[in-house]
Amino acid sequence: MVRSLVTGLCLAVFAAVIIGLSNLLGLDLEHVALLGAALGGVLGLVPHRPAWGKPAGFLAGFLLAWLGFALRAAWLPDSSGGRAVAAFLVVALVAVVTGLSGGRLPLWSGLVGAASIVGSYESVYTNAPSQFLSDSPAAATTVLLAVGLGFLATTLAVPQADTPRRDRRTAGKGSASDSGPSTSTTLDDLVTGAAS
């Protein structure tokens, strides 16, 4: 409970800092501050090994969704059908990339990356699809900064978040053979693959 409170408060401070940076540096971060901080918090809190797989999966999903916007702007009709094709391709490619990584890039982080660019840029794109080349870099960099600060906040507040629960339970108890096999499986074990 205390760890969740401390992490949440640290994330809240960073969300306010993102808005403060927006005003100080003349950036347009205000509309993505909460989105970026929350998605960065998720990225920092969910355990996964290897640790670099989380941001790498995020970036893969982010880039694939950005390319989905490019595909919509260049070739697909601005209709429900065109949006459906782009959404299908983005999610399918995220799944393929994470599948080919052999578990090193988690699917959830790729989906978080795709959601971050879609959440920050979809309304801008809808208003001016022809301005993709000029508008999308600004949307991408602002949400990446907000996500990065949210990720940093959770990483600083809870540096052990990447350690699976099973490792923390058996730490200091000798070897796994000394303590006997573990029969309980936690959600963290299932998410990280440690239960297999």
Side-chain angles (χ1 to χ4, degrees), residues 9-63:
L9 290 175
C10 186
L11 199 53
V13 167
F14 270 69
V17 166
I18 291 168
I19 293 174
L21 280 175
S22 177
N23 291 332
L24 182 68
L25 301 175
L27 302 172
D28 189 23
L29 289 171
E30 292 177 3
H31 71 282
V32 297
L34 183 56
L35 172 72
L39 293 177
V42 168
L43 196 60
L45 288 172
V46 177
H48 181 75
R49 288 286 183 213
W52 58 264
K54 295 188 305 184
F58 172 88
L59 289 174
F62 185 91
L63 290 174

Side-chain angles (χ1 to χ4, degrees), residues 16 20 76 83-84 86 90 109 119 132 134 137 152 156 166 181 184:
L76 294 175
R83 287 186 287 279
V90 167
S109 71
F132 169 76
S134 60
L152 179 64
L156 292 176
R166 191 168 68 188
S184 65

Side-chain angles (χ1 to χ4, degrees), residues 1 4 12 42-43 45 63 70 81 88 104 108 110 115-116 162 170 173 176 184-185 189:
M1 181 175 121
S4 294
V42 168
L43 196 60
L45 288 172
L63 290 174
F88 172 82
R104 290 183 293 277
W108 64 264
S116 67
D162 281 336
T170 59
K173 294 183 180 179
S184 65
T185 302
D189 294 336

Side-chain angles (χ1 to χ4, degrees), residues 13 26 36 40 45 56 100 105 112 133 183:
V13 167
L45 288 172
L100 290 175
L105 305 181
V112 167
L133 291 176
T183 57

Side-chain angles (χ1 to χ4, degrees), residues 142-178:
T142 55
V143 77
L144 282 175
L145 179 59
V147 168
L149 289 174
F151 180 73
L152 179 64
T154 55
T155 304
L156 292 176
V158 188
Q160 71 276 15
D162 281 336
T163 305
R165 285 190 188 274
R166 191 168 68 188
D167 293 346
R168 288 194 301 263
R169 283 195 314 261
T170 59
K173 294 183 180 179
S175 70
S177 61
D178 292 344

